[in-house]
Amino acid sequence: MKQYLNRGIKEIIQEFPETGRILDTFNIGCTACSVGTCLLKDIVEVHNLPYEEERALMLQISRVIYPGVEVEVPRIERKAPVGDGKITYSPPMRALVDEHTVIKRLLALIPRILEDLDVTREHDRQVVLEVVDFIRSYADRFHHAKEEDILFKEFSDDLEILKSMLEEHRIGREHVKAVLDTAERGDTLSVKFHLTSYGQLLLGHIKKEDEILYPWMDRNLSTAQVGELFARFAKTDEQFRDTASRQKEFVRRLEKKFSHEEVTNNV
Ligand SMILES: [Fe+2]
Ligand SMILES: [Fe+2]
């Protein structure tokens, strides 16, 4: 069984599809993850499974990999103590979760923005450009910069969970670039496809960070590291103060516009 602990989870699911269903029953959504390079042993630690759940999960997986054989299930070594399952955030992590809330408000508007979109119309093309500006300056340059340049640097580059988060940032950027290119060509269908794909990718990404990555990071950071993060985030906030308030205002404006349209349409 030990040899499987160091194998990528997507690989294991591919070889033994039943393991994907088992992980789902433990609320571990590896089958839906777009990257899935995390190792089996990391999944137990990263998801902070209580010891009894860890044993139950590993036992079920071992029965799929070695049917009819009772194998010894090893306890996975943890770097941080197992928590009680409740999510709490340190102040710098809380700030990132709050930024996610702003990003999710914009993502929630995407279906409405795309409804009657026609990028050959100047007005519609402008709206798309404003959305891209929000994504690039707030979600990417401001928020992802905090993650990539500050937070992730506190951990080893070799961690599969970080590689998969960075890969999702990269895929997101590709979609955004494609939105711009296709808007330029007046290709409304492709704009809709890439903006929708971006929204779905980022929603899943944010959920993983809020529920899995940040709590795991908090469990592994020392008080001194948390203090250092807090100070460095405050500096970034200062640098991006105008951008952040301009983009929050943009989201508020869009929300107001659509809620107003809804009221007028219902009269
Ligand atoms: Fe991220
Ligand atoms: Fe994030």
Side-chain angles (χ1 to χ4, degrees), residues 9 17 67 87 130 150 207 222 229 237 245 250 259:
I9 196 64
I87 297 180
E130 283 181 313
I150 303 174
K207 188 171 159 56
S222 67
L229 282 175
D237 288 342
S245 60
F250 167 64
S259 67

Side-chain angles (χ1 to χ4, degrees), residues 55-68:
R55 187 163 167 73
L57 171 73
M58 298 310 284
L59 212 58
Q60 288 187 38
I61 290 180
S62 73
R63 284 178 186 147
V64 172
I65 297 178
Y66 302 102

